[in-house]
Amino acid sequence: MEIRDHTELAPSAAPGRRERAKADKRARILAAALALFEERGFERTSMSEVARLADVAQGTVFQYAATKAELLMMVAEALWGSHEQANTAPPRSAPAAGETAAQIAALISPFVAAMRRWPEPTTWVAREILFGADMPHRQRVLGRVEGLEEQIAARLRDDRAGAPGAAAATGARLIVTGVLAELNRSRQGRIDGEDVDVVLRRLIDLVVAGAGASR
């Protein structure tokens, strides 16, 4: 198997030789894990296979991620960060009527795209976010989730209906939790044949309307 170039997943290399070597190993591990998760899925990928494809010792992989679930969260955090860097948008003015739900749908669209491209690993990411062990890479992903909730809450506060701060925060949390749950239901075929986009947009519309009504 050939590892595609995933240098965008690697952190900026420090000037020292040792730091450069560590950054290079981390980048190779990330690229190998992503390639294997994409090809075989999370459950069928082993840490030894990741080490072999990355051309590092198996113990080296465990230095960067103590468990396979942590390795998955390491990949998820790197991909999330790459997406945010590529899609940094300037602050928007207050949305017109009906635009808030569309803006929130755009914020969660990367999750839907990831689910369609990597359905099984994405489901495991959702499970780890909700129920995973308290470990460093998961904590960093949770930080990204909190950042997403803050962006959604800001959209709800800026809506013409003007949701209060507490209602906006609660609404944002409901949307993010609902998205994770619906992605899991979609993979299991429990959305009654409806497209996941339709289900998620209905969820967003309901939360936007409820947050505005709480004013």
Side-chain angles (χ1 to χ4, degrees):
M1 180 193 305
E2 178 182 355
I3 303 179
R4 291 173 296 169
D5 184 10
H6 291 291
T7 54
E8 73 277 5
L9 300 183
S12 299
R17 179 181 299 177
R18 184 175 181 179
E19 288 77 12
R20 288 198 302 271
K22 288 175 64 177
D24 177 67
K25 287 179 182 178
R26 185 179 190 277
R28 297 206 314 266
I29 291 168
L30 276 170
L34 177 59
L36 288 167
F37 289 152
E38 182 173 6
E39 179 181 321
R40 301 184 185 181
F42 174 75
E43 288 192 280
R44 295 178 59 196
T45 296
S46 70
M47 298 287 267
S48 62
E49 289 172 325
V50 172
R52 185 162 52 251
L53 189 57
D55 193 24
V56 298
Q58 186 170 342
T60 300
V61 178
F62 285 102
Q63 290 176 7
Y64 288 87
T67 66
K68 189 169 71 167
E70 264 288 90
L71 181 61
L72 178 65
M73 299 309 278
M74 179 179 169
V75 171
E77 199 276 334
L79 289 172
W80 199 329
S82 297
H83 172 79
E84 287 184 347
Q85 290 176 12
N87 294 275
T88 301
R92 296 176 59 110
S93 57
E99 284 188 359
T100 298
Q103 292 178 6
I104 293 173
L107 286 173
I108 67 166
S109 64
F111 293 97
V112 181
M115 183 273 294
R116 287 185 168 131
R117 183 174 178 183
W118 306 298
E120 192 254 14
T122 302
T123 300
W124 278 99
V125 169
R127 290 175 181 173
E128 285 299 307
I129 289 173
L130 293 172
F131 309 115
D134 188 15
M135 301 185 77
H137 293 303
R138 177 176 176 270
Q139 283 298 318
R140 285 191 276 275
V141 171
L142 290 180
R144 301 278 187 183
V145 172
E146 291 173 359
L148 177 62
E149 289 181 357
E150 290 171 1
Q151 292 180 65
I152 294 173
R155 299 302 193 281
L156 293 173
R157 289 192 300 270
D158 292 341
D159 184 68
R160 287 175 178 266
T170 300
R173 195 170 302 117
L174 285 172
I175 288 173
V176 171
T177 303
V179 166
L180 295 173
E182 293 302 333
L183 289 180
N184 189 42
R185 278 165 43 86
S186 174
R187 182 182 177 269
Q188 296 173 353
R190 296 191 292 120
I191 300 189
D192 299 327
E194 288 188 291
D195 187 88
V196 67
D197 286 310
V198 175
V199 175
L200 294 179
R201 183 55 187 263
R202 186 183 302 134
L203 168 68
I204 293 168
D205 287 340
L206 287 170
V207 173
V208 171
S214 66
R215 185 178 179 182

